[in-house]
Amino acid sequence: MKTQSHTAPGSRKSFLKKALMAGSGLTFGSALSGSLSTLKASESGKPDSVRGGKNGCWAPTTCNGCASWCSLEVYIQNGRATKIRGNNASKVNEGKACPRSHMGIQELYDPDRLKQPMKRTNPEKKRGVDPGFVPISWDEAIDEITDRILELREKDETHKYMMVQGRNSGLHPIIYDRMTRIIGSPNRINSDGLCQEAGKLSHWYQCGFWGFPQWDLKHTRYIICWGTDPVSSTRQVSHHNSSWGKMIARAKVAVVDPRLSATAAKADEWMPIKPGEDGAVAGAIAHVILTRGLWSKEFVGDFKDGENRFKIGQTVDEELFDEKLTKGVIKWWNLELKDRTPEWAAERAGIPAEQIERVAIDFGRAGSQAISMVGRGPVAQPRGSYNALAGNALVGLVGAVGTEGGNMSGNPFFNEPLPGPDDYLDQTAKNGLGHPTIDQRGRLDLPAIFQNQAGTGMVSNKAADGVIDKDPNEIKVAISYYGNFAFSAPGARRWEKALGSIPFYVDINTHPSEVSWFADIVLPAANGMFEKNAPVVRHGNRHRHVTLHRRVVDRLWNVKSDETEVPWMIAEKLAEKGFPNLLDHYKTYRDPETGAEPQNGEELELFATKHITQNYWNPDRHRGGDKFESWESFYNTGVWNSDPYVLKRRWGNMPTESGKFEFYSEPLKRAITQHAEKHGLTTDQVMESANYVARGEQAFIPHYEPPVIIDEGNNDGLILVDHKSRLNREGRSANSPWYYEFKDVDPGDVANQDVAKINPKDARRLGISEGDDIVMSFKENSITCKARLWEGVRPGTVAKSYGQGHWAFGRRASLEFGKKARGGNNNEIIPAEYDRLTGTSAYYATVRVRVSKA
């Protein structure tokens, strides 16, 4: 097999020239030479229409570069996208767009994209071994896929089918849920279960919503950012970029993070914490707020005689406190906070006690105009649920719950659910759905709580172990789409082994990624930002918007929409072969305007989008927010906005069991107790099995859990702080030249390099100099990158951005396509560990790695 060595990226001007040539269809075949030759271009992808004309026009769509889902406009000339801007019609991102959105055009016109279906000819599935992909037609690909599905059904083995979902839209139930259930499998695995659920748990048990908050930056007086960099990599990035400068002119910001992030660089307080000790600092801040009498009397309540009895080390009689709109503040004090002084926290967190106290006082004085922004840092850890509970509890103490300048839940929205599949489940499907899931959720050490029910959450990364060990069963057929777990999940090489062991695996993707390398069939996906129709939902800036992906450009290649066109073709072929249930179900997705049944995948996509959004564009069904007169009017605008958030609307009417903000959670207690009873054990035994230190009632309140740092018994190593770049389109931007050219926009990083940022004190001890090639390793896995000596990282830690280290994805992403990575993928040295209450993967500050010169 021929190989192609990496050459340094050319100038931006030369790249744009080549990109424009590719966009005009002039030089596709030669663009994928050498090791990419089996992924060569199709001859049949010529445009069938021209949009925009030579003078061009702006068309609305939605960015899919991260979970912010910003509403955008794309400038279209002769059917091609040439420019991006924010959509002024959105009240969430208000016409603003971050760097990720602009990079979307390079992703769209990347000459290394998958261009037509491919079939594997080499049965050996291994990194570095050429799969021998050869082009096939869509009909041939779908024919083979449906044969494998029907074989499972004939053998009553539908539970041996698995669906893996990556980035998705509001149409994801069509392929992810409806198709999987009608086939008859319980094995639906998605990317949300990798990194999001622990943060959601805190909002559910304290505030009554399972999701993420929004924050009123325009009116806040104080923000604590816990392991998050809002201007770079959290939700609502475009809004944060446009609002942060004005906000810091009148409000104070404290950043709790071992790394000097872009946000920390402009903050009033940088608190370079020892990794994982966020819960200690949050507890100490709560302690100061209570002992100093800074809690909200209006929201929390007060002692009946007005005397503050919150004294260091002293318990309080609950009868002496008149609690108003919260539940359990005295229990929280007695069980946890009475001893959590700033000095106690300083000893653990490695930051000054006086700084902790100062931040606590300023936060408390800001009152209801304070924000506690709990990010991925403290949450994506082995005990992250309790860090999340501790950080989020602070807004309850100061009454900053749904207030001007505080934390808020999402605004109401009115999506119409897609038709359900129950009428199309035959006995074979029902039998399959009765089997346990491949991710092993609900076992003793994996409570995997979703809302109030243990065992119903998702442990997505654990699915790799289930596949490898064939536990609870073998997986014989799997389909994944728009994801790359062999790159994006901790313990990434486990996914290589898992996918390589599946007898028949299909990957639907835009690029030839690491997971594609192990596929038997590779299907080229439409780019969600430019080449498909679908709704998505996000909130921010005190509004909710429902914004549309739109098919705004001509498809250059023979690609299909992953969530609609591909499952429709599968449904048609299954019907031809005697199993019509899936197609019959899809035909119930009628056009709300005409009542017509879909006749193909494009109509399924359009009708489903209209169905979900009909309460926004149909004036007869209007329920709030923007009002449109027709589907056409909504489609041409591209976004619906909710009414503004109603301040304090949940005060006294919180959607929790008590109707209050809950510091002590009876529902959490029941969920853990239910899991214990299922296994015939006590709640303390469950907590021990799931690797938490809490015992008794402490498990039901925010409390300090010592961090879990996995090492090899060698304290000379450095704790890896994984962080996200403002240029990451969720790992999909690594084949874009701009990703490398502008990488130094992230503090401490270097253009055209992949660097690990090391404090000079540690570098001297390890004998490492600036620019050295270094190896970072844990057990048998290692990655290579460059050393960057930088005082913006806490001693004892090494900070490295996620995003580089692809060995497949295109010629720029790798040094040698299919064999040798460019830079290092953090997830190859981060072991697979979990916040076991929720199943969230532990990415952050979880492992102590060995660092040495290469």
Side-chain angles (χ1 to χ4, degrees):
M1 174 179 175
K2 293 182 179 180
T3 59
Q4 179 177 333
S5 60
H6 173 73
T7 56
S11 70
R12 179 162 38 154
K13 182 182 292 185
S14 66
F15 169 78
L16 290 174
K17 182 178 179 181
K18 294 175 184 177
L20 288 172
M21 289 176 67
S24 63
L26 295 178
T27 57
F28 291 127
S30 61
L32 293 175
S33 58
S35 61
L36 293 173
S37 60
T38 58
L39 298 163
K40 63 185 178 181
S42 168
E43 296 288 334
S44 60
K46 295 181 180 179
D48 56 5
S49 65
V50 175
R51 301 194 188 102
K54 64 180 181 179
N55 295 322
C57 67
W58 289 98
T61 191
T62 303
C63 186
N64 65 346
C66 75
S68 294
W69 296 122
C70 293
S71 184
L72 303 176
E73 289 185 317
V74 185
Y75 197 66
I76 308 298
Q77 290 178 291
N78 293 325
R80 301 289 182 265
T82 61
K83 193 185 301 184
I84 296 289
R85 70 184 184 190
N87 188 344
N88 280 314
S90 169
K91 295 179 181 177
V92 172
N93 57 294
E94 297 182 303
K96 304 302 189 295
C98 86
R100 290 188 185 93
S101 62
H102 300 283
M103 295 173 72
I105 293 180
Q106 289 193 336
E107 184 180 312
L108 170 67
Y109 294 127
D110 187 343
D112 292 347
R113 274 187 66 180
L114 292 166
K115 299 173 177 66
Q116 68 181 72
M118 296 285 177
K119 180 178 180 178
R120 182 183 210 91
T121 60
N122 185 350
E124 185 179 2
K125 296 182 177 181
K126 189 177 180 180
R127 184 194 295 205
V129 176
D130 186 358
F133 288 122
V134 296
I136 58 174
S137 69
W138 274 100
D139 189 67
E140 289 173 302
I142 300 300
D143 191 59
E144 185 159 353
I145 292 167
T146 51
D147 278 348
R148 299 300 184 117
I149 291 171
L150 290 174
E151 184 178 337
L152 292 181
R153 288 186 53 81
E154 288 164 4
K155 294 180 178 180
D156 206 19
E157 292 183 337
T158 56
H159 57 289
K160 297 182 179 181
Y161 169 87
M162 179 175 72
M163 166 59 68
V164 182
Q165 173 185 279
R167 171 53 57 218
N168 58 83
S169 74
L171 300 186
H172 75 274
I174 294 172
I175 185 171
Y176 176 71
D177 178 80
R178 305 309 196 258
M179 189 173 92
T180 308
R181 290 173 63 190
I182 289 172
I183 287 170
S185 175
N187 296 315
R188 302 186 302 278
I189 305 299
N190 68 42
S191 57
D192 284 1
L194 281 181
C195 60
Q196 301 192 34
E197 303 310 284
K200 296 176 183 177
L201 177 140
S202 65
H203 303 297
W204 177 259
Y205 286 114
Q206 291 176 334
C207 306
F209 70 95
W210 189 273
F212 298 99
Q214 58 180 324
W215 308 281
D216 185 10
L217 299 185
K218 294 182 177 179
H219 301 93
T220 195
R221 293 171 54 205
Y222 204 97
I223 299 179
I224 303 178
C225 297
W226 300 90
T228 185
D229 186 10
V231 300
S232 297
S233 60
T234 194
R235 287 163 177 77
Q236 308 158 34
V237 175
S238 294
H239 169 56
H240 292 157
N241 271 268
S242 64
S243 301
W244 207 262
K246 294 179 181 178
M247 182 272 296
I248 61 176
R250 54 175 169 71
K252 289 186 176 182
V253 177
V255 175
V256 186
D257 199 318
R259 175 183 69 98
L260 185 69
S261 64
T263 302
K266 296 292 184 181
D268 298 271
E269 305 272 2
W270 176 39
M271 306 171 81
I273 191 172
K274 287 182 181 178
E277 297 287 356
D278 307 79
V281 176
I285 291 173
H287 174 97
V288 171
I289 289 170
L290 290 172
T291 56
R292 293 278 190 140
L294 297 174
W295 74 89
S296 170
K297 312 302 188 296
E298 179 187 13
F299 189 69
V300 180
D302 200 1
F303 289 97
K304 294 176 181 177
D305 60 3
E307 179 183 347
N308 185 2
R309 289 178 169 78
F310 293 122
K311 307 295 182 183
I312 297 174
Q314 297 181 19
T315 58
V316 172
D317 184 346
E318 290 186 48
E319 294 300 318
L320 300 178
F321 194 87
D322 183 16
E323 196 165 5
K324 292 185 178 178
L325 302 180
T326 65
K327 178 186 176 184
V329 68
I330 303 301
K331 275 191 171 69
W332 187 26
W333 170 265
N334 290 339
L335 291 169
E336 173 69 12
L337 294 181
K338 68 181 189 301
D339 301 314
R340 301 314 193 203
T341 64
E343 292 73 21
W344 169 87
E347 183 179 347
R348 286 153 182 80
I351 52 179
E354 55 268 27
Q355 185 181 37
I356 297 173
E357 185 154 6
R358 182 171 62 247
V359 168
I361 291 170
D362 286 348
F363 185 85
R365 286 175 175 167
S368 63
Q369 291 177 282
I371 290 171
S372 182
M373 191 179 289
V374 182
R376 195 164 173 265
V379 170
Q381 297 189 20
R383 294 167 175 166
S385 285
Y386 290 106
N387 281 338
L389 284 163
N392 193 57
L394 299 179
V395 297
L397 275 186
V398 298
V401 181
T403 56
E404 184 176 77
N407 281 36
M408 299 173 177
S409 60
N411 305 57
F413 65 107
F414 313 109
N415 281 8
E416 189 70 19
L418 290 170
D422 289 356
D423 291 342
Y424 302 90
L425 303 179
D426 62 10
Q427 193 56 51
T428 298
K430 292 175 182 176
N431 292 343
L433 289 168
H435 284 263
T437 54
I438 197 67
D439 64 344
Q440 303 176 355
R441 69 188 77 167
R443 297 187 180 183
L444 175 60
D445 64 337
L446 284 170
I449 296 171
F450 174 72
Q451 297 187 354
N452 291 339
Q453 188 77 25
T456 60
M458 189 175 298
V459 196
S460 297
N461 202 20
K462 195 69 173 170
D465 299 314
V467 172
I468 293 167
D469 298 334
K470 300 181 180 180
D471 179 16
N473 53 255
E474 181 183 9
I475 294 297
K476 291 185 175 182
V477 177
I479 298 177
S480 67
Y481 80 92
Y482 225 107
N484 191 7
F485 281 29
F487 182 82
S488 62
R493 283 186 177 258
R494 295 159 45 257
W495 280 95
E496 294 182 28
K497 184 177 180 180
L499 296 174
S501 72
I502 297 172
F504 186 74
Y505 167 50
V506 179
D507 182 44
I508 313 169
N509 230 318
T510 58
H511 284 72
S513 67
E514 282 73 12
V515 293
S516 306
W517 202 260
F518 300 91
D520 297 276
I521 299 286
V522 179
L523 300 178
N527 183 297
M529 185 169 164
F530 302 97
E531 296 178 322
K532 62 186 279 188
N533 294 306
V536 290
V537 180
R538 186 54 68 216
H539 58 236
N541 192 31
R542 293 173 60 172
H543 286 85
R544 171 90 65 173
H545 73 197
V546 177
T547 178
L548 295 177
H549 288 310
R550 287 194 8 170
R551 187 171 172 176
V552 293
V553 300
D554 296 314
R555 294 175 177 175
L556 292 177
W557 299 299
N558 192 13
V559 301
K560 303 290 184 185
S561 293
D562 42 20
E563 293 174 327
T564 52
E565 291 178 273
V566 173
W568 177 272
M569 288 188 291
I570 290 173
E572 280 191 317
K573 189 67 72 171
L574 287 172
E576 288 176 15
K577 296 178 178 182
F579 180 64
N581 298 38
L582 184 59
L583 185 61
D584 289 345
H585 167 71
Y586 287 159
K587 287 183 176 179
T588 66
Y589 293 37
R590 295 175 178 271
D591 185 336
E593 287 186 296
T594 67
E597 289 183 355
Q599 300 300 309
N600 52 53
E602 290 186 5
E603 288 189 351
L604 175 69
E605 180 174 279
L606 178 62
F607 296 174
T609 300
K610 293 173 71 174
H611 176 93
I612 290 172
T613 61
Q614 61 187 298
N615 295 322
Y616 311 119
W617 57 262
N618 184 341
D620 294 334
R621 299 175 65 99
H622 182 258
R623 296 172 61 184
D626 293 347
K627 189 172 183 178
F628 294 94
E629 295 305 315
S630 66
W631 160 254
E632 183 179 12
S633 176
F634 172 53
Y635 189 73
N636 289 336
T637 303
V639 62
W640 167 91
N641 300 283
S642 72
D643 294 321
Y645 190 92
V646 178
L647 299 175
K648 297 186 179 181
R649 67 185 177 90
R650 294 189 171 188
W651 279 40
N653 187 34
M654 202 78 67
T656 58
E657 183 174 273
S658 65
K660 301 179 178 182
F661 186 101
E662 298 192 351
F663 298 114
Y664 181 96
S665 176
E666 291 287 353
L668 178 57
K669 179 178 180 178
R670 280 199 302 274
I672 297 174
T673 301
Q674 170 203 42
H675 188 69
E677 291 173 348
K678 171 185 172 183
H679 293 280
L681 298 172
T682 66
T683 57
D684 283 355
Q685 289 172 310
V686 166
M687 297 301 288
E688 181 179 8
S689 296
N691 198 24
Y692 299 95
V693 301
R695 300 294 182 265
E697 292 198 305
Q698 194 178 41
F700 319 129
I701 59 170
H703 68 271
Y704 171 68
E705 290 272 341
V708 175
I709 307 295
I710 303 170
D711 59 32
E712 300 176 80
N714 182 359
N715 290 329
D716 290 337
L718 302 177
I719 299 173
L720 176 59
V721 176
D722 171 87
H723 66 91
K724 302 298 176 281
S725 167
R726 67 174 65 196
L727 301 180
N728 275 350
R729 289 178 58 84
E730 298 181 320
R732 292 191 296 273
S733 29
N735 211 44
S736 164
W738 287 351
Y739 181 75
Y740 303 100
E741 184 178 352
F742 301 120
K743 192 67 183 66
D744 52 357
V745 299
D746 298 315
D749 279 359
V750 180
N752 294 310
Q753 292 184 14
D754 189 23
V755 302
K757 296 170 283 290
I758 306 172
N759 191 281
K761 293 180 180 178
D762 293 316
R764 285 193 293 271
R765 175 173 60 84
L766 296 170
I768 293 173
S769 300
E770 176 74 20
D772 280 350
D773 291 321
I774 59 172
V775 177
M776 300 171 62
S777 58
F778 176 72
K779 295 187 176 179
E780 70 278 7
N781 295 319
S782 64
I783 61 175
T784 59
C785 58
K786 293 282 188 180
R788 173 77 166 98
L789 275 56
W790 192 50
E791 292 183 347
V793 61
R794 180 185 176 87
T797 70
V798 54
K800 185 174 177 301
S801 174
Y802 164 79
Q804 295 190 55
H806 280 284
W807 52 270
F809 209 74
R811 75 199 67 196
R812 290 181 180 271
S814 56
L815 287 177
E816 189 176 344
F817 185 82
K819 291 185 177 181
K820 189 173 182 180
R822 176 178 180 174
N825 177 14
N826 297 357
N827 288 319
E828 292 195 18
I829 57 173
I830 299 175
E833 189 47 79
Y834 309 89
D835 170 71
R836 293 172 179 269
L837 273 186
T838 60
T840 299
S841 286
Y843 285 82
Y844 182 88
T846 300
V847 62
R848 194 185 306 275
V849 299
R850 302 187 306 275
V851 182
S852 60
K853 292 179 70 171

